[in-house]
Amino acid sequence: MHRIAIVGGGTGGTVLANRLASELQTEIEDGKVEVRLITADENHVYKPTFLYVPFGEKTVDDAKRPIEELVDCRVTLTIDEVTDVNTDRNRLSLADRTSSLRYDQLVLATGANLQPEAIPGLAEGAHHFYGPDGAERLRDELADFTEGHLVLSVVGVPHMCPAAPVEFPLMVDDWLRERGRREDIEITYTYPINRAHGLESVADWATDLFEERDITLETFFNVDEVDPDAEVVETVEGTELEYDLLVAIPPHRGSDLVIDAGLGEDGWVDVDRHTLEATAAEDVYAIGDVADVPTSKAGSVAHYEAGVVADRIASRARGQTPTATYDGKTVCFLEAGMDEATFIEFTYGEEPYVREPSKPLHWAKLGYNESYWLTARGLL
């Protein structure tokens, strides 16, 4: 039997498992191929939902579904934690199993992990919306925030959902104006390089909107430390910024599994950016946030990568030469407030064109958020 193991039940892992179940249906039913999805979480989480939780537009429960409801019945679903990847022996060790699992082809889709403790005082002094607990705490804090200085600081790069830090100040500006609080609240956005975003066209678009909406932009702002008692952010550049409410995008890191297996530094898997094959081991792929490719750590990237890897793995399972490649395709909606959004798409080496924000694009983003569960099932 040809055994395919996928580690991680996020967007990339779930879409890939369902794609393989479809592409290799005959081989699976004939007992020639096994597709196994291994994840430690019984729930599948759609993280972009958390952006809307602080504004009361969504709840954390809206962001999750039991993963067994999303995975094709032809996929062997294992709820367990992978504790070791041995690429020399093609084996995986699991927390709740005494024996290891063998694989013929392995895909790591373990995502990215928040690491606020990497910056002194950040965990104690800042809020974020990159997880369920953080989003709920920020919702409660924002509900009672009537005056003062609100700072959105991008501390860690790269990070998940790269558009979200730009979206948040535009959304909170609109949200505060609707409630008559905006005049008493100053908003500042900080970014570590010399512009408002890594993509130049997005940076230019955001800079114009920030100026129009009286949102202060601070660039070359690299956070070194946060003093929660004094409510001050200190930077590597030697500057300080006082705040009353600090919302931070914390540093991210990859998986310890990756480091321990010798597949990449800082937990990101070194891969060929077109084939998504690991450079340090054979029969290993990586997709989604954990793959070190020169594009965004976005759900759409994981989605398109999953399609490519499904084709490549299916070809190898049939004894054929894989030909599918990933061109860096990324698509992303960006909220420009509470009722308008824009949309970008690009591939490797391309600079995206930022469309004029509109209500229909905002509705399209909300519509996709609702239909995402069909994407996870491999139906879109």
Side-chain angles (χ1 to χ4, degrees), residues 182-350:
R182 182 63 174 92
E183 290 185 0
D184 297 319
I185 295 175
E186 178 185 358
I187 302 175
T188 296
Y189 171 94
T190 81
Y191 202 73
I193 62 173
N194 65 340
R195 58 184 185 232
H197 193 270
L199 293 170
E200 186 173 0
S201 58
V202 173
D204 292 343
W205 172 79
T207 298
D208 289 343
L209 277 183
F210 288 166
E211 183 176 357
E212 177 185 318
R213 301 187 188 182
D214 196 28
I215 298 170
T216 302
L217 171 63
E218 296 280 354
T219 58
F220 279 129
F221 193 97
N222 291 274
V223 176
D224 185 49
E225 185 174 353
V226 175
D227 186 335
D229 296 326
E231 296 186 325
V232 171
V233 179
E234 301 176 8
T235 71
V236 174
E237 293 79 13
T239 61
E240 294 185 349
L241 183 64
E242 297 180 354
Y243 66 87
D244 296 292
L245 174 56
L246 176 61
V247 183
I249 309 305
H252 288 40
R253 72 187 303 271
S255 170
D256 288 337
L257 284 175
V258 172
I259 299 172
D260 294 342
L263 295 172
E265 297 180 358
D266 300 323
W268 313 119
V269 182
D270 293 326
V271 296
D272 181 292
R273 69 175 185 169
H274 295 296
T275 67
L276 303 167
E277 295 175 322
T279 59
E282 295 182 356
D283 303 315
V284 178
Y285 293 84
I287 60 174
D289 294 344
V290 78
D292 191 5
V293 293
T295 191
S296 303
K297 292 190 181 299
S300 67
V301 171
H303 180 188
Y304 293 121
E305 289 175 336
V308 169
V309 171
D311 286 345
R312 296 187 67 84
I313 287 178
S315 294
R316 286 194 170 162
R318 294 174 178 139
Q320 302 167 351
T321 301
T323 58
T325 56
Y326 176 60
D327 62 1
K329 184 175 182 180
T330 307
V331 299
C332 184
F333 288 97
L334 293 87
E335 296 284 16
M338 297 303 296
D339 64 356
E340 287 190 337
T342 184
F343 175 81
I344 60 173
E345 55 183 325
F346 56 97
T347 58
Y348 289 141
E350 285 188 340

Side-chain angles (χ1 to χ4, degrees), residues 20-287:
L20 286 170
S22 177
E23 292 195 27
L24 294 171
Q25 176 179 347
T26 300
E27 289 83 355
I28 293 171
E29 292 175 351
D30 289 346
K32 296 178 180 178
V33 170
E34 177 191 70
V35 177
R36 183 185 295 269
L37 177 62
I38 308 164
T39 176
D41 194 340
E42 295 181 351
N43 289 312
H44 176 97
V45 178
Y46 182 52
K47 295 177 182 177
T49 302
F50 296 140
L51 174 64
Y52 299 89
V53 172
F55 305 105
E57 298 289 321
K58 292 287 184 180
T59 69
V60 295
D61 286 339
D62 293 327
K64 62 185 180 181
R65 297 279 194 283
I67 194 164
E68 64 180 6
E69 295 180 4
L70 304 177
V71 176
D72 191 290
C73 63
R74 290 164 293 202
V75 174
T76 301
L77 178 61
T78 300
I79 307 298
D80 203 345
E81 179 185 0
V82 175
T83 57
D84 182 68
V85 176
N86 188 324
T87 60
D88 293 327
R89 299 178 60 232
N90 285 30
R91 289 191 173 275
L92 304 174
S93 298
L94 279 66
D96 294 336
R97 292 175 65 108
T98 56
S99 60
S100 60
L101 290 176
R102 185 178 70 80
Y103 67 83
D104 294 289
Q105 296 186 82
L106 170 66
V107 184
L108 296 177
T110 49
N113 300 290
L114 303 183
Q115 197 179 27
E117 62 275 7
I119 302 294
L122 187 67
E124 300 82 7
H127 294 269
H128 69 81
F129 51 86
Y130 271 55
D133 295 339
E136 288 186 325
R137 285 194 295 268
L138 180 55
R139 178 198 61 201
D140 296 342
E141 187 73 19
L142 198 57
D144 296 328
F145 191 63
T146 57
E147 61 181 359
H149 188 195
L150 188 156
V151 175
L152 184 288
S153 186
V154 179
V155 179
V157 178
H159 55 77
M160 297 178 284
C161 300
V166 172
E167 293 177 288
F168 183 82
L170 295 172
M171 293 172 72
V172 79
D173 166 76
D174 207 1
W175 191 81
L176 291 170
R177 291 182 191 278
E178 291 175 356
R179 285 155 180 76
R181 301 188 207 168
R182 182 63 174 92
E183 290 185 0
D184 297 319
I185 295 175
E186 178 185 358
I187 302 175
T188 296
Y189 171 94
T190 81
Y191 202 73
I193 62 173
N194 65 340
R195 58 184 185 232
H197 193 270
L199 293 170
E200 186 173 0
S201 58
V202 173
D204 292 343
W205 172 79
T207 298
D208 289 343
L209 277 183
F210 288 166
E211 183 176 357
E212 177 185 318
R213 301 187 188 182
D214 196 28
I215 298 170
T216 302
L217 171 63
E218 296 280 354
T219 58
F220 279 129
F221 193 97
N222 291 274
V223 176
D224 185 49
E225 185 174 353
V226 175
D227 186 335
D229 296 326
E231 296 186 325
V232 171
V233 179
E234 301 176 8
T235 71
V236 174
E237 293 79 13
T239 61
E240 294 185 349
L241 183 64
E242 297 180 354
Y243 66 87
D244 296 292
L245 174 56
L246 176 61
V247 183
I249 309 305
H252 288 40
R253 72 187 303 271
S255 170
D256 288 337
L257 284 175
V258 172
I259 299 172
D260 294 342
L263 295 172
E265 297 180 358
D266 300 323
W268 313 119
V269 182
D270 293 326
V271 296
D272 181 292
R273 69 175 185 169
H274 295 296
T275 67
L276 303 167
E277 295 175 322
T279 59
E282 295 182 356
D283 303 315
V284 178
Y285 293 84
I287 60 174

